[in-house]
Amino acid sequence: MSEINLAVQEITADMIARVDRGAVATYIPELAGIDPARFGIAVVDAEGAQHVAGDGDTLFSIQSISKVFTLTLALGKVGDALWQRVGKEPSGNPFNSIVQLEYEKGIPRNPLINAGAIAVADAILAGHTPKAVLGEILRFLRYVSDDETIHIDRAVAASEQATGFRNAALANYLRACGNLRHPVEMVLGVYFHHCAIAMSCRQLAMAGRYLAFAGRHPTAGGKVISAERAKRINALMLTCGHYDGSGDFAFRVGMPAKSGVGGGILAVVPGKASIAVWSPGLDAQGNSVLGSAALELLSRRMNWSIFGE
Ligand code: GLN
């Protein structure tokens, strides 16, 4: 068994035995019933080998991990002009903070908090219908993950649409500040649906390869994005990908990574691996407790912190 395989198996056994798992998100009713005992992991290495363990093939709601993919599409569409309406600084605040958006006059701190991702959804809507944009997001994910089965969980989207009042507040405030060009309902429709995409750890680790391997598509060949852009998206994931837990995550794990309230985390080790973990129990910042713990162990064991050995 390879070193990575052994590490993945042992870390999975360790995680399954742990009792301190955090709390499943309940503010999206459809996510509230997920079994907190689940744990999955998938690592795709530089040779393209897939190392999968636990519930690594179970579908879960990727939620905010989708923000990395919509950011990639928005940069493809509008390039650096995006930075006129969204910042690049860590927020130091909860992912759904309202007070920060008012304070900063409708320019979200970064594209990975909710307000920033709602502005990104507005940017990719330009000239398209919400249906066409969602089709484009799915096509992109199917292409980067080499998997045609990736889809949106409509029940999760409807559940958030019915209860997402904070996001509606953020979108309305963006619109009031002139930082939303389409009707609020239209932009939120796109946002809630891309958050509701269902993927497994294996699919997500495959999807993250273009970020881990300098923008390249390892199997189809060619570039998904430039190496420069991959580097920048990784920088944003490192500094902003875990909201007000980003500093702690960098300290413990040392990998660019993006979490979601479904309990997933996508992490990249540039040049070495694309990793996805999933466990639905969250900490106070909305990040997966066991997912972070597993990545911390893996980082230490494989010497994968980007900050040195
Ligand atoms: N759809 C979720 C929300 O807007 C995404 C949040 C997250 O995953 N952190 O609240």
Side-chain angles (χ1 to χ4, degrees):
M1 202 187 279
S2 74
E3 174 63 18
I4 301 181
N5 231 331
L6 199 61
V8 161
Q9 299 297 339
E10 288 179 11
I11 289 168
T12 301
D14 180 341
M15 292 303 128
I16 287 171
R18 290 201 187 188
V19 283
D20 185 8
R21 297 173 163 267
V24 174
T26 52
Y27 76 98
I28 300 174
E30 194 67 21
L31 297 182
I34 312 273
D35 178 6
R38 311 308 290 272
F39 175 82
I41 182 166
V43 180
V44 180
D45 65 23
E47 282 72 50
Q50 301 176 17
H51 312 271
V52 181
D55 298 311
D57 280 312
T58 304
L59 299 181
F60 61 90
S61 193
I62 69 168
Q63 291 297 320
S64 285
I65 302 171
S66 62
K67 294 169 180 172
V68 172
F69 305 117
T70 53
L71 171 64
T72 303
L73 290 173
L75 288 171
K77 275 196 179 165
V78 303
D80 283 342
L82 186 70
W83 307 122
Q84 283 157 22
R85 49 189 301 199
V86 185
K88 317 182 196 78
E89 296 298 336
S91 63
N93 270 304
F95 62 84
N96 53 9
S97 173
I98 293 177
V99 69
Q100 186 168 47
L101 189 62
E102 179 172 21
Y103 217 72
E104 299 184 346
K105 304 189 171 54
I107 304 292
R109 223 10 126 79
N110 67 65
L112 301 180
I113 53 173
N114 288 12
I118 292 167
V120 165
D122 185 65
I124 53 179
L125 254 173
H128 300 282
T129 62
K131 198 167 172 224
V133 166
L134 290 169
E136 187 186 348
I137 296 169
L138 282 177
R139 264 196 309 284
F140 178 76
L141 275 174
R142 290 170 181 167
Y143 161 63
V144 290
S145 61
D146 283 329
D147 193 320
E148 288 299 315
T149 67
I150 292 166
H151 65 278
I152 294 170
D153 184 330
R154 304 261 160 202
V156 173
S159 179
E160 192 170 10
Q161 200 128 31
T163 57
F165 306 115
R166 286 190 78 98
N167 287 318
L170 291 169
N172 276 289
Y173 198 76
L174 285 166
R175 180 97 171 158
C177 295
N179 199 4
L180 212 65
R181 292 165 199 159
H182 301 84
V184 163
E185 305 69 46
M186 199 187 257
V187 183
L188 286 178
V190 170
Y191 174 78
F192 291 143
H193 281 80
H194 73 61
C195 285
I197 291 170
M199 289 172 80
S200 66
C201 290
R202 188 195 297 269
Q203 291 170 330
L204 208 46
M206 289 292 279
R209 293 175 300 171
Y210 74 98
L211 295 169
F213 303 113
R216 287 193 308 275
H217 192 305
T219 37
K223 291 260 173 196
V224 178
I225 53 174
S226 69
E228 172 89 351
R229 184 159 287 161
K231 231 188 290 182
R232 289 177 156 183
I233 294 173
N234 288 342
L236 289 164
M237 285 169 71
L238 182 83
T239 53
C240 314
H242 279 68
Y243 317 113
D244 44 341
S246 298
D248 187 60
F249 187 86
F251 187 84
R252 287 168 55 200
V253 180
M255 296 176 189
K258 181 73 205 85
S259 66
V261 292
I265 302 175
L266 170 66
V268 304
V269 189
K272 299 206 171 94
S274 173
I275 307 164
V277 289
W278 171 57
S279 180
L282 308 178
D283 63 18
Q285 285 75 35
N287 302 315
S288 173
V289 170
L290 291 193
S292 314
L295 287 169
E296 184 175 4
L297 290 179
L298 188 64
S299 173
R300 210 176 277 158
R301 180 142 172 190
M302 300 302 299
N303 272 323
W304 276 349
S305 165
I306 64 165
F307 297 107
E309 308 221 333

